[in-house]
Amino acid sequence: MVFVAGRIAAAIPVLALVLIIVFLLVRAIPGDPAVVLLGPGATREQIAALRDQLRLDLPAPQQFLEYVAALARGDFGLSLKNGEPVLREILLRLPATIELTLMAMFVAVLVGVPLGVICATRANGPLDHLLRLVSLVGVSIPAFLLALLLQLIFASYLGWLPVSGRTSALVTEAPITGFAVLDAMLRGDGAAARSALAHLVLPCAVLAAFLAATLGRYVRNSMLEILGEDFVRTARAKGMTRPRVIYVHALRNALLPAVTILGLKSAEMLGGAILTETIFAWPGIGRYMFEAIRNRDFPVIQGTTLVFALIYVMTSLAVDFIHGALDPRVRRKML
Amino acid sequence: MHGMGGLAHFLRSNRMASFGIVLLGLILIAVLVGPIFYEVSPTRLNILKRLAPPGPDFWLGTDSLGRDVLARLLHGGRVTLVVGCSVVALAFAVGVTIGMISGFAGGWLDWFIMRLADAMLSFPSLVLAIALAAAFGPSLENAMLAVAITLMPQFARVARGQAVSVSVKPYVEAAVTLGLPRGRILLRYVFANGVGPLLVQATLALGAAILQTASLGFLGLGAQPPAAEWGADVSINLDFVRSAPWVALAPGAGILLTVMAFNLIGDGLAEWMDPRRRAVI
């Protein structure tokens, strides 16, 4: 309990600084933000109204306090493009992003951990070199290029999967949970569930590729470190079989740092979600942010940036808790 | 510390790293020497020959405006390498200076700088880069500045760690006792003895910087037309990719290979610094 409270207390100053950074984004716009955002042709009244909405006429510290107070009331401001409340629009799109990223995380663990173990146990052999090269491509390829390649191969040439979108146009029922696959299954609509899954495959593969490759590289390295330690040699010397030493003793220890990496990198994956959602026309918050950039819709850019940061902070807190629960040494060290 | 001769030997014996060095060498030669022999303008429009497939006239074909894809690839590569190096140089200079001061000074300044770094690292780096680039306004210089800012806290963290561990060494304490100027102690002793891990960080950051700037270019927040830049070149040709894949795949492959070369070299350097990671069973 003390450990949990301590971690949360440590996150508070960081969160305050996160809020300041997001607040300062509008101030980083060169010139008068209201004039820049509205573009040429804006009337005096429009500029005055926007200055009022962005609270630009108040002194900076007061602006900041009012901004935070509004956030606390759930008021993320109004979109400059269509006047919709930003928070409502974000919440509407959040399930699509969560569905995509959770699925990608699941696939990445399923692929990345065995990848790392195979490489470490055959270190510097031909299979290790081949798989390391594959995972190197995975971390080096721009998300938009991988997305493009998969679209070309699996959607355009082979025609196995839809090019983009989230559900086929036939689905018109109101969402239950907001998760397309789950909703279809809850309705018992097999065809819709299959369609939703088919739409999920390519964007999920793009996001998972980066994470699986990163995870594979870390698991390989931490396995190699652990396989060189004394207790591994002792276990082997006692006559324990090599598979038992690798899978029971070494892997359990190697997975601890992997949990940390998974947490941090899956949050980092949210950045990749902006590119992936944009290319696959996936209606999540990443694509919402991209559209906002095109329109210089700053309340939306601020809101999505803040939500991404909040998800990141919460994920790393969760990772710390899991890590602490798995390894008592961490609990002591972090206090 | 290992000597530079040891490093050269290690990189030669490490197959992945030597592959990275060869790859980077080839890219450098192509990009620096290539345009001298292949004298085609990367921005000349030729509407009659738009989307021409690769052939003897246009080695890699033409794009949707009839511009030569190979010429744009070579010129875009120069942009990419300059971008990568300047972004990392800026992030390194600012991040390392702040980190060294933070670690050497300690106290509330150290606490505040590190919390600020934590806060900046609380954003997925691409999200922060996009938000900053959107605020500064779309241009290549602003995109570079945005990416450099997101890389700074990483350098500051590593530099601070190095400064903290070096500043308790007897020779630094002796220098403080002797009354040497603080700036000189920082540079001559703290920086000089902690520079190794920072260089590894910088090599890996080169790949990240190129990837991030290309992503901003792809989203329209980087280089503006008609300049040749790999990320932007992929996105402007996106609508034609099904009929003429070369227009987007060539610049995409350029990004992939360059980032891969830097990652291979960075991995090799990291392995050299940390012998525990050199293979065991």
Side-chain angles (χ1 to χ4, degrees):
Chain A
M1 259 336 271
V2 182
F3 169 72
V4 172
R7 296 307 299 155
I8 292 177
I12 290 173
V14 174
L15 268 178
L17 285 165
V18 164
L19 286 173
I20 294 179
I21 294 173
V22 174
F23 165 74
L24 287 177
L25 278 177
V26 171
R27 296 239 133 197
I29 301 173
D32 182 344
V35 175
V36 175
L37 293 180
L38 290 172
T43 63
R44 257 171 217 286
E45 290 74 38
Q46 283 173 316
I47 292 174
L50 184 58
R51 287 190 67 85
D52 192 44
Q53 192 201 325
L54 297 176
R55 305 178 192 84
L56 291 173
D57 294 320
L58 301 173
Q62 199 184 339
Q63 271 182 47
F64 176 67
L65 290 179
E66 292 210 355
Y67 173 67
V68 175
L71 287 181
R73 289 192 305 268
D75 174 10
F76 278 47
L78 302 177
S79 160
L80 297 183
K81 190 176 169 240
N82 52 19
E84 299 283 347
V86 173
L87 183 62
R88 204 186 69 198
E89 296 289 303
I90 288 178
L91 291 178
L92 213 61
R93 290 166 171 84
L94 200 54
T97 300
I98 292 177
E99 182 179 44
L100 179 62
T101 42
L102 278 185
M103 200 68 178
M105 263 175 86
F106 178 69
V107 173
V109 172
L110 229 53
V111 176
V113 173
L115 185 80
V117 174
I118 291 171
C119 283
T121 51
R122 288 166 183 73
N124 289 331
L127 189 62
D128 175 38
H129 280 301
L130 178 73
L131 291 180
R132 275 173 81 189
L133 204 62
V134 172
S135 49
L136 189 74
V137 172
V139 294
S140 307
I141 195 166
F144 55 82
L145 179 64
L146 183 60
L148 202 60
L149 283 173
L150 294 181
Q151 273 182 338
L152 272 177
I153 297 170
F154 293 100
S156 296
Y157 294 146
L158 296 174
W160 291 351
L161 294 163
V163 177
S164 61
R166 189 169 177 219
T167 48
S168 60
L170 298 172
V171 180
T172 48
E173 285 108 312
I176 305 170
T177 59
F179 301 107
V181 180
L182 199 61
D183 279 0
M185 290 202 294
L186 286 176
R187 277 194 210 96
D189 186 345
R194 268 194 302 279
S195 158
L197 262 179
H199 281 89
L200 195 55
V201 173
L202 291 183
C204 173
V206 172
L207 274 189
F210 169 76
L211 191 59
T214 313
L215 206 56
R217 282 155 57 93
Y218 273 96
V219 170
R220 175 185 184 273
N221 288 339
S222 58
M223 277 291 275
L224 276 182
E225 272 175 33
I226 284 159
L227 289 176
E229 288 202 9
D230 291 341
F231 78 92
V232 170
R233 207 171 306 131
T234 310
R236 282 288 277 154
K238 276 198 320 189
M240 208 174 273
T241 59
R242 191 165 176 268
R244 193 175 157 78
V245 173
I246 290 172
Y247 295 108
V248 178
H249 292 247
L251 183 59
R252 271 173 73 168
N253 284 290
L255 282 182
L256 279 175
V259 171
T260 312
I261 291 305
L262 179 68
L264 295 178
K265 293 290 169 178
S266 55
E268 187 72 20
M269 192 172 77
L270 291 169
I274 299 176
L275 296 166
T276 312
E277 290 184 359
T278 302
I279 296 175
F280 287 103
W282 189 264
I285 46 175
R287 182 153 159 256
Y288 187 45
M289 185 176 185
F290 171 71
E291 285 162 2
I293 294 164
R294 290 211 148 162
N295 303 319
R296 302 211 80 184
D297 191 345
F298 247 81
V300 176
I301 297 179
Q302 278 183 306
T304 44
T305 306
L306 183 63
V307 169
F308 276 127
L310 288 181
I311 296 176
Y312 204 149
V313 171
M314 284 192 295
T315 316
S316 39
L317 268 182
V319 166
D320 282 348
F321 295 154
I322 295 173
H323 209 166
L326 291 177
D327 188 346
R329 285 171 305 179
V330 176
R331 280 201 295 273
R332 253 172 276 132
K333 208 167 87 186
M334 280 188 174
L335 272 181
Chain B
M1 276 303 281
H2 327 257
M4 287 319 268
L7 173 62
H9 177 77
F10 177 76
L11 288 181
R12 266 201 306 277
S13 64
N14 181 317
R15 264 196 249 168
M16 303 287 264
S18 35
F19 177 52
I21 291 173
V22 171
L23 190 59
L24 182 63
L26 290 175
I27 294 169
L28 276 175
I29 293 172
V31 168
L32 295 179
V33 184
I36 300 174
F37 293 99
Y38 195 78
E39 292 175 275
V40 179
S41 160
T43 49
R44 202 191 59 203
L45 307 176
N46 189 346
I47 296 297
L48 294 176
K49 294 258 172 70
R50 58 199 294 269
L51 298 174
D57 291 343
F58 308 99
W59 291 10
L60 284 178
T62 59
D63 71 2
S64 49
L65 295 172
R67 296 175 297 196
D68 189 276
V69 172
L70 179 58
R72 290 189 71 78
L73 186 66
L74 296 174
H75 286 269
R78 289 184 172 185
V79 174
T80 297
L81 289 174
V82 170
V83 162
C85 294
S86 12
V87 165
V88 171
L90 180 62
F92 189 96
V94 178
V96 170
T97 309
I98 293 177
M100 290 267 162
I101 292 173
S102 175
F104 194 65
W108 66 267
L109 184 66
D110 183 32
W111 184 88
F112 178 75
I113 290 177
M114 282 305 115
R115 291 298 78 71
L116 186 62
D118 285 345
M120 288 174 71
L121 292 170
S122 300
F123 297 91
S125 50
L126 187 60
V127 172
L128 185 58
I130 287 174
L132 287 172
F136 298 154
S139 80
L140 183 59
E141 290 74 23
N142 287 344
M144 288 163 66
L145 182 61
V147 175
I149 291 175
T150 64
L151 287 173
M152 283 172 194
Q154 298 179 16
F155 282 109
R157 273 247 180 112
V158 179
R160 175 190 177 267
Q162 293 292 311
V164 167
S165 65
V166 174
S167 59
V168 294
K169 294 268 164 71
Y171 56 81
V172 175
E173 284 173 359
V176 174
T177 318
L178 281 172
L180 291 183
R182 297 216 148 201
R184 194 158 142 215
I185 299 176
L186 270 175
L187 198 64
R188 286 279 302 273
Y189 300 97
V190 182
F191 177 71
N193 283 290
V195 76
L198 285 168
L199 287 180
V200 176
Q201 178 84 17
T203 318
L204 291 170
L206 272 169
I210 292 175
L211 213 49
Q212 300 271 37
T213 320
S215 299
L216 292 182
F218 178 81
L219 293 172
L221 286 168
Q224 298 300 308
E229 192 271 328
W230 288 347
D233 273 8
V234 175
S235 74
I236 51 172
N237 291 306
L238 218 48
D239 292 339
F240 309 98
V241 106
R242 267 151 207 101
S243 53
W246 57 87
V247 291
L249 295 188
I255 303 169
L256 169 62
L257 291 176
T258 313
V259 174
M260 222 169 98
F262 284 122
N263 281 342
L264 280 165
I265 300 170
D267 280 353
L269 285 174
E271 211 168 303
W272 178 67
M273 303 283 305
D274 181 8
R276 281 181 311 173
R277 281 174 50 184
R278 300 175 200 171
V280 210
I281 325 193

